[in-house]
Amino acid sequence: MNQEDKNTLNIFIQNQINDLPTILNEELSYKNKKFNHRTDFHIIKEHIDDFLNGDNINRYFVLPGLRGVGKTTILYQTYEYLLKEKQIPANQILYFSCETLNKLTQCDIFETINQFITEIHQNNLMTLNKEIFLLIDESHFDKNWSLTGKIIYDQSKKIFMIFTGSSAISLEYHAETARRMIRYEIPPLNYTQHLNLKFNYNAGNIGGEISNLIFNGEIDSAKKSEQKINNDLLNITEYNSIDWDNFFKYGGFPAVMNDNNYRTIQKKLFYSIDSIIEKDLKTIQNINQNSENYAYRLLKFLAQKFPGEISQNTLSNLIKSSSSTVNTILELLEKTHLIFHYEPYSGPNARVKKSWQYYFATPSLRHAINKNWGFSPMNQDEYDGVLLENLVASGLFNLKNNENHFDFDVFFDSLKGGVDFLIKKEFENPIPIEVGHGNKTKRQIINAINKYDSDYGIIISNTTLNIEKKDNIIYIPYKTFSFM
């Protein structure tokens, strides 16, 4: 690094130390109302307390997630906790965004931290004698971020680090980094988290109870919590009945939660998609402008189609590119967690060779794409049904990727007239799930229960106002499911 770049970096570091304490209130409040904390913040807080009490094993954390899910806010809240509650001096906390730094000089996390320790603390990694906290945002803009974290972890027990970045950074880390770092995926908000952040309402353990209902057929505790929550919401002055509908089509992201203008929300969500394609994909793989255009075309097609498997040959014909290019683009989009797929179920011994079904991380992202590019020729009822199926698919996806949850797999039923999803724990028969909208019959779920010898099946629909169990079918309202 030449002297000019060193000077630029030193000024940047000094400005971060001086300016961040003065902007915290603005960054962590809306209309003078302080933001609440996600559960993920409390997990980080506990680890910080352990670190300050002498436990220096767990001090390297990675928080992957889509743009807009609140990763930067978690870092700011962590900074505030350190500064105001733990009384850590501002010059012992360094927050910076690699994306911002990249605009001034090529972002090199290791060089930045070395400069910080050398210039601000007149020390080096090996001899550092005070606790230092590094909060590094958008770390995927430095290709060597994980190796840097490993080196710092190995050379100093005095440094506590948090790296955030696109969902893909969880796939990019250096092989030897895995046993040092702790990874917490930050998913889009479910409705429980939405209510907590927006209305300061604590829905308790409704998510765990719905999960227990789905996997074990136990409805009593979930039903009681559902009834309590519905009653509580009637008494929240700011809450109104359309909040869930807004969450369904425009929610999941704290960055747009307090915006009441649907047009600007849609634009912000689509801008996030733009940023993923035009910025994040390039940090995973060196792609050209044609590949970006193919990514947009694939997303447009996937957003407008009815749920169902689709072959890569069909997709390649649609975007006028090769099957291998389609495969590469789909893999890249999945690495960012903008989309994900489920495979067909073929029984206990093998998986059938059929195409996959693709879904978006949230219904709101799918809706934003359609609002931006125009809808396919569906009627309103059909379109709402597509979004609702995406809601269930993404809820199961986030549950499956929750590292505190047990292992299970999700499939789609590839047989004609099959149910929408099959969930399966190891050595157990699958549990069929049908997503209903309007007056759908229960024929499909009954057939699936008999075919797969399931103890019960689940219909997630708007046909009931509350959780119900009739014979061996459990009914869950959409709104209730979204608490999971």
Side-chain angles (χ1 to χ4, degrees):
M1 179 178 289
N2 61 41
Q3 190 58 46
E4 183 180 349
D5 286 340
K6 281 188 177 182
N7 291 340
T8 299
L9 191 54
N10 285 337
I11 293 170
F12 175 79
I13 291 170
Q14 193 63 63
N15 286 343
Q16 291 297 105
I17 295 170
N18 293 338
D19 295 346
L20 202 64
T22 66
I23 67 169
L24 282 176
N25 187 60
E26 182 180 350
E27 294 290 342
L28 294 177
S29 63
Y30 175 71
K31 292 184 177 180
N32 295 319
K33 184 179 179 182
K34 202 80 168 175
F35 294 155
N36 283 333
H37 298 93
R38 289 185 63 137
T39 305
D40 315 274
F41 165 79
H42 295 291
I43 294 171
I44 295 296
K45 176 177 170 289
E46 290 175 7
H47 285 295
I48 287 173
D49 292 345
D50 291 341
F51 176 73
L52 290 173
N53 288 328
D55 182 354
N56 56 25
I57 300 298
N58 299 321
R59 48 192 162 82
Y60 179 12
F61 294 84
V62 178
L63 310 182
L66 281 167
R67 288 174 178 267
V69 294
K71 304 185 299 295
T72 300
T73 298
I74 291 173
L75 291 187
Y76 281 146
Q77 289 173 330
T78 300
Y79 190 106
E80 183 181 57
Y81 176 70
L82 290 166
L83 188 72
K84 296 183 178 180
E85 293 193 40
K86 305 309 288 187
Q87 303 296 307
I88 304 297
N91 70 351
Q92 290 177 224
I93 315 168
L94 179 63
Y95 163 87
F96 66 91
S97 165
C98 289
E99 184 175 15
T100 301
L101 180 55
N102 229 24
K103 295 175 181 177
L104 300 175
T105 182
Q106 184 172 342
C107 180
D108 185 321
I109 295 172
F110 189 76
E111 187 65 40
T112 304
I113 293 166
N114 262 336
Q115 286 287 102
F116 170 64
I117 294 173
T118 301
E119 298 296 327
I120 303 300
H121 296 284
Q122 289 78 50
N123 219 314
N124 61 58
L125 286 170
M126 298 289 287
T127 60
L128 194 62
N129 57 4
K130 63 182 75 171
E131 284 82 9
I132 297 292
F133 295 86
L134 304 175
L135 311 177
I136 303 169
D137 215 357
E138 305 293 352
S139 58
H140 57 281
F141 281 89
D142 178 355
K143 289 285 188 183
N144 296 315
W145 70 267
S146 71
L147 183 57
T148 292
K150 171 191 175 297
I151 292 170
I152 294 170
Y153 182 94
D154 289 345
Q155 291 193 3
S156 176
K157 289 182 169 60
K158 291 291 187 179
I159 296 180
F160 186 100
M161 302 173 286
I162 304 176
F163 292 74
T164 80
S166 72
S167 293
I169 69 171
S170 62
L171 302 173
E172 296 174 342
Y173 50 77
H174 188 271
E176 291 190 19
T177 300
R179 62 186 178 88
R180 294 165 174 83
M181 76 178 188
I182 298 176
R183 173 185 168 275
Y184 287 114
E185 180 84 26
I186 310 297
L189 302 174
N190 60 26
Y191 200 50
T192 299
Q193 296 161 333
H194 168 88
L195 291 175
N196 177 252
L197 294 185
K198 189 170 184 178
F199 300 104
N200 196 28
Y201 176 72
N202 183 353
N205 189 39
I206 181 69
E209 290 163 349
I210 295 170
S211 175
N212 188 43
L213 180 159
I214 290 173
F215 287 97
N216 299 309
E218 300 289 339
I219 76 165
D220 292 341
S221 58
K223 192 174 178 66
K224 288 177 183 177
S225 292
E226 176 192 56
Q227 183 177 10
K228 178 181 183 304
I229 291 168
N230 287 335
N231 289 336
D232 288 347
L233 293 179
L234 295 174
N235 297 315
I236 297 177
T237 305
E238 301 88 353
Y239 185 83
N240 60 63
S241 58
I242 66 171
D243 183 74
W244 186 84
D245 298 298
N246 292 338
F247 167 80
F248 167 52
K249 287 189 176 178
Y250 299 97
F253 299 89
V256 299
M257 190 172 58
N258 293 305
D259 195 335
N260 295 315
N261 186 310
Y262 298 151
R263 184 179 294 274
T264 59
I265 292 172
Q266 174 261 316
K267 288 184 179 298
K268 289 175 183 176
L269 289 176
F270 192 79
Y271 174 74
S272 293
I273 295 167
D274 269 340
S275 297
I276 290 169
I277 293 175
E278 296 175 10
K279 296 179 181 179
D280 294 350
L281 289 187
K282 291 177 182 176
T283 67
I284 308 171
Q285 185 170 316
N286 187 22
I287 62 172
N288 57 30
Q289 184 64 51
N290 283 338
S291 294
E292 289 183 16
N293 293 335
Y294 295 147
Y296 280 117
R297 292 175 197 168
L298 283 173
L299 290 175
K300 179 177 184 291
F301 175 77
L302 293 175
Q304 292 182 342
K305 71 179 290 292
F306 285 100
E309 59 188 280
I310 183 163
S311 71
Q312 290 189 357
N313 285 335
T314 301
L315 289 174
S316 66
N317 290 332
L318 283 165
I319 70 169
K320 297 179 172 56
S321 184
S322 66
S323 294
S324 62
T325 298
V326 168
N327 184 57
T328 297
I329 298 298
L330 288 173
E331 286 182 356
L332 289 173
L333 291 171
E334 286 206 66
K335 286 180 179 180
T336 69
H337 284 190
L338 179 57
I339 63 172
F340 61 93
H341 77 270
Y342 288 137
E343 298 178 22
Y345 182 75
S346 60
N349 298 318
R351 294 180 181 178
V352 294
K353 291 183 178 180
K354 298 195 74 172
S355 301
W356 298 346
Q357 286 192 13
Y358 288 90
Y359 296 93
F360 287 81
T362 65
S364 58
L365 290 174
R366 187 173 198 149
H367 188 56
I369 292 172
N370 281 318
K371 292 284 282 186
N372 189 76
W373 279 322
F375 296 87
S376 62
M378 300 181 192
N379 62 42
Q380 185 67 52
D381 193 60
E382 289 172 332
Y383 181 69
D384 288 345
V386 168
L387 293 183
L388 289 164
E389 184 170 327
N390 202 131
L391 173 79
V392 175
S394 55
L396 294 172
F397 178 82
N398 291 333
L399 185 65
K400 177 174 170 54
N401 286 278
N402 182 339
E403 295 182 0
N404 295 320
H405 206 274
F406 51 81
D407 289 332
F408 68 95
D409 287 311
V410 184
F411 304 92
F412 70 90
D413 192 345
S414 62
L415 298 179
K416 184 177 181 180
V419 291
D420 294 312
F421 304 106
L422 294 164
I423 55 176
K424 190 179 187 309
K425 290 193 289 185
E426 191 175 21
F427 307 122
E428 296 184 12
N429 290 340
I431 302 167
I433 297 178
E434 178 67 13
V435 181
H437 183 63
N439 296 318
K440 290 185 71 173
T441 68
K442 57 185 180 181
R443 175 181 53 80
Q444 286 172 297
I445 201 76
I446 292 173
N447 289 342
I449 291 170
N450 293 331
K451 173 178 174 53
Y452 297 111
D453 196 22
S454 307
D455 292 333
Y456 55 90
I458 296 169
I459 296 179
I460 301 170
S461 73
N462 60 349
T463 56
T464 59
L465 296 176
N466 304 102
I467 295 169
E468 293 181 5
K469 187 172 185 180
K470 298 177 181 177
D471 298 322
N472 57 352
I473 301 176
I474 297 171
Y475 296 83
I476 306 175
Y478 289 126
K479 180 177 177 181
T480 300
F481 176 85
S482 67
F483 282 96
M484 187 178 71

